[in-house]
Amino acid sequence: MRPGSLACLFIVVTFVSAKTVDLSFRGLKKEDFFVRLQSQINLQEVTDLNLSGNKFDSFLDCSTNLEALRTLDLSQNHLQRFFFLCKDEYNLQVLNVSHNMLEYIDDNSLNDRVPKLKILDLSYNKLTIVNETMLEHLTILEYLSLSHNPIGYGIHNGAFWNLKALRYLELRNISAPFFSAEFFKTLGNLSSLDLSWNPIDEIPLLPMKLQQLDLSGTQVISLENLYLPQLRELKLDHMPNLTSLTLNDLENLTSLETLSMIGCKRLIQLSFWPQSGVVLPRLQRLSIKESGLTTLGVELSALMQRVPVIEVEGNPWKCDCKMEWIDSLNATRHLSRDIRCHAPDQIRGKLLAEIPSYELQCEYDTPIFYPILWTSVSILIVALIFTAVFILLRRPMGQWSFRGKGRDTVTYTTVVESNNDLVRILAVTENHDRNDE
């Protein structure tokens, strides 16, 4: 950087509070700051230092005096490493090293010299591993973001075990195919967890005090047995495999206030089975915008009536008699004014509120009903024919009548006789026939 530019920069800095220095997006290299610029700034009194958007490839505390520093922003640089080595203990509470080129966090980076750190942002780097020693000294850390790192299987089971004060954990888009229950077992104070945009298909066992959970963009299909009694916000946006949701599956989320399913294009069914208890008793916002829903069943009417904010825009709604109940909701809800019909063709593009009830007609499934009916009748007729034939074939032979050569008919009945009696009967019959001739 040219001397003239440094002079201008110094003028800018002098107008900033002595405790806050903003040198962001100045194109500074580490040499510009450590060798030239810091001699013009009294860093001993600086509490907030912003060096984001520059060209630092490393940061070493030995090159400067940061005794009073509480906030350090090194985001959007070219950092490959950073160290805190030359002072026994720092007052640093907030460290932002996001959007850099960090591949590994050295043991001399987040060590016992920064025990007061409460906020750590490591997002948008190149980290592939999070082991037990990387975060072990951050015992009062409250916020941690590892989002947008290619970590995959790289999180060790005990990586978060010392973070017992942690309240916010962001693991968004880290390419993790699963999350072990071991990851969270010591995080008893965790209130917000972001697992979104990871290829997981099962929800792990989560801390009971969780209040916010984001599963957006995951492969999860079932939400059954999700027991989080303090959960207030659940995000299920843009989930590719979510095709149906029965709200009864969320009956254990008794504190839920916000349920979001925005952009779930394959979500075609939202249902509810009436039961004795109230499901989602505290729900305040239900967002199902831009999904794949075509209809809402009347069983949802009680829920829709009591939820203050419902967002339904952008679904391919089929406006027929099954949707007529929506107009009967409280007039202050105006839900029918947010539903724009996608089908049938004659009312496509119209708002449900604009369509008179007599035009909301249903097409019954007669093409399916009649083949089933005729098939059943055919099977019944064939069964009756076979039954009749079977009965006729089982009739005793002694009850059949045969006509002889003459006009007389001889009828045989079922009689049990001895051989001698049978010979006598035949002989009498022959004599009778001769007399007739």
Side-chain angles (χ1 to χ4, degrees):
M1 180 177 285
R2 293 178 298 177
S5 300
L6 282 173
C8 293
L9 184 60
F10 176 72
I11 293 173
V12 172
V13 172
T14 56
F15 283 95
V16 181
S17 166
K19 294 186 178 181
T20 302
V21 175
D22 187 351
L23 298 174
S24 60
F25 297 94
R26 308 288 181 179
L28 296 174
K29 294 182 179 179
K30 62 182 179 181
E31 294 82 8
D32 297 325
F33 175 75
F34 291 122
V35 178
R36 301 184 183 94
L37 190 58
Q38 75 166 339
S39 62
Q40 304 174 42
I41 306 172
N42 186 9
L43 289 179
Q44 290 182 341
E45 300 180 0
V46 173
T47 58
D48 302 285
L49 177 59
N50 188 350
L51 296 172
S52 66
N54 288 295
K55 298 180 180 179
F56 286 58
D57 60 0
S58 64
F59 184 89
L60 180 60
D61 64 310
C62 300
S63 303
T64 187
N65 190 339
L66 304 173
E67 289 185 1
L69 196 65
R70 294 179 303 184
T71 301
L72 176 59
D73 191 343
L74 292 168
S75 63
Q76 300 186 63
N77 278 275
H78 302 155
L79 287 182
Q80 298 181 29
R81 61 189 69 87
F82 63 92
F83 301 105
F84 295 95
L85 295 173
C86 296
K87 184 175 172 57
D88 290 339
E89 185 175 308
Y90 288 95
N91 290 316
L92 192 65
Q93 298 178 23
V94 179
L95 176 61
N96 185 354
V97 288
S98 64
H99 294 86
N100 277 287
M101 303 177 67
L102 298 168
E103 296 183 5
Y104 183 73
I105 304 298
D106 191 271
D107 290 345
N108 292 318
S109 299
L110 300 171
N111 50 36
D112 55 356
R113 293 178 171 83
V114 287
K116 297 180 180 180
L117 200 63
K118 292 185 176 181
I119 298 176
L120 175 61
D121 192 344
L122 295 167
S123 61
Y124 290 93
N125 277 283
K126 298 182 178 181
L127 298 175
T128 58
I129 190 169
V130 182
N131 60 26
E132 289 86 351
T133 61
M134 175 175 155
L135 305 169
E136 65 177 339
H137 300 290
L138 308 182
T139 55
I140 66 169
L141 192 71
E142 296 181 3
Y143 173 92
L144 172 63
S145 178
L146 293 165
S147 299
H148 297 276
N149 280 283
I151 297 174
Y153 291 92
I155 300 179
H156 293 192
N157 279 346
F160 305 137
W161 284 4
N162 284 354
L163 309 182
K164 296 180 181 180
L166 198 66
R167 296 177 58 198
Y168 304 92
L169 177 57
E170 293 186 359
L171 300 175
R172 179 186 181 93
N173 191 20
I174 62 170
S175 303
F178 74 98
F179 291 100
S180 169
E182 295 293 314
F183 295 168
F184 314 112
K185 75 175 187 178
T186 64
L187 305 183
N189 292 309
L190 194 67
S191 63
S192 179
L193 177 60
D194 189 345
L195 302 179
S196 62
W197 299 101
N198 285 290
I200 62 172
D201 54 17
E202 291 185 1
I203 303 174
L205 186 63
L206 300 174
M208 295 289 289
K209 292 185 178 180
L210 209 60
Q211 296 183 20
Q212 296 175 314
L213 176 62
D214 194 344
L215 297 172
S216 301
T218 62
Q219 307 292 322
V220 172
I221 298 176
S222 175
L223 298 170
E224 290 184 284
N225 303 320
L226 188 62
Y227 184 69
L228 296 170
Q230 297 186 31
L231 193 69
R232 297 172 55 192
E233 180 178 355
L234 176 61
K235 289 186 176 181
L236 306 172
D237 302 336
H238 304 285
M239 296 183 68
N241 293 336
L242 187 65
T243 58
S244 65
L245 177 63
T246 301
L247 293 176
N248 302 75
D249 292 344
L250 307 179
E251 63 181 346
N252 293 323
L253 307 183
T254 53
S255 299
L256 195 67
E257 298 176 358
T258 300
L259 176 59
S260 177
M261 293 177 283
I262 299 173
C264 296
K265 296 300 184 181
R266 297 184 64 188
L267 179 65
I268 60 174
Q269 184 177 9
L270 184 66
S271 58
F272 173 71
W273 299 104
Q275 59 185 52
S276 56
V278 178
V279 176
L280 303 178
R282 299 185 182 179
L283 193 64
Q284 300 294 309
R285 178 183 291 271
L286 174 62
S287 183
I288 46 177
K289 299 188 296 185
E290 307 294 335
S291 293
L293 293 170
T294 59
T295 190
L296 293 172
V298 69
E299 71 275 7
L300 294 168
S301 59
L303 178 70
M304 297 291 187
Q305 187 71 40
R306 61 181 170 83
V307 178
V309 179
I310 300 177
E311 299 173 323
V312 297
E313 302 88 355
N315 285 276
W317 297 113
K318 182 179 181 181
C319 298
D320 57 13
C321 65
K322 297 175 183 177
M323 300 279 280
E324 189 175 355
W325 66 270
I326 294 177
D327 279 330
S328 65
L329 291 175
N330 190 321
T332 60
R333 300 308 316 281
H334 305 308
L335 184 59
S336 60
R337 300 180 186 179
D338 297 328
I339 295 178
R340 190 171 295 277
C341 302
H342 184 77
D345 292 338
Q346 60 269 25
I347 56 176
R348 183 185 181 95
K350 291 185 178 181
L351 294 176
L352 181 61
E354 301 172 347
I355 304 171
S357 58
Y358 63 83
E359 291 188 16
L360 298 176
Q361 300 181 1
C362 289
E363 297 178 2
Y364 296 98
D365 300 329
T366 52
I368 298 176
F369 174 74
Y370 280 116
I372 295 176
L373 177 63
W374 285 115
T375 302
S376 301
V377 171
S378 300
I379 293 173
L380 180 60
I381 292 173
V382 171
L384 289 174
I385 293 174
F386 274 104
T387 302
V389 172
F390 179 75
I391 292 174
L392 291 174
L393 289 178
R394 290 199 54 175
R395 188 174 178 182
M397 291 299 294
Q399 295 181 0
W400 292 91
S401 298
F402 296 96
R403 189 174 299 276
K405 296 182 180 179
R407 297 185 228 175
D408 297 331
T409 299
V410 180
T411 301
Y412 295 95
T413 58
T414 304
V415 180
V416 179
E417 299 283 354
S418 65
N419 291 336
N420 294 333
D421 292 335
L422 181 59
V423 173
R424 188 167 54 253
I425 291 171
L426 291 177
V428 171
T429 303
E430 289 177 1
N431 292 333
H432 180 69
D433 290 340
R434 285 187 188 135
N435 293 331
D436 290 338
E437 292 176 359

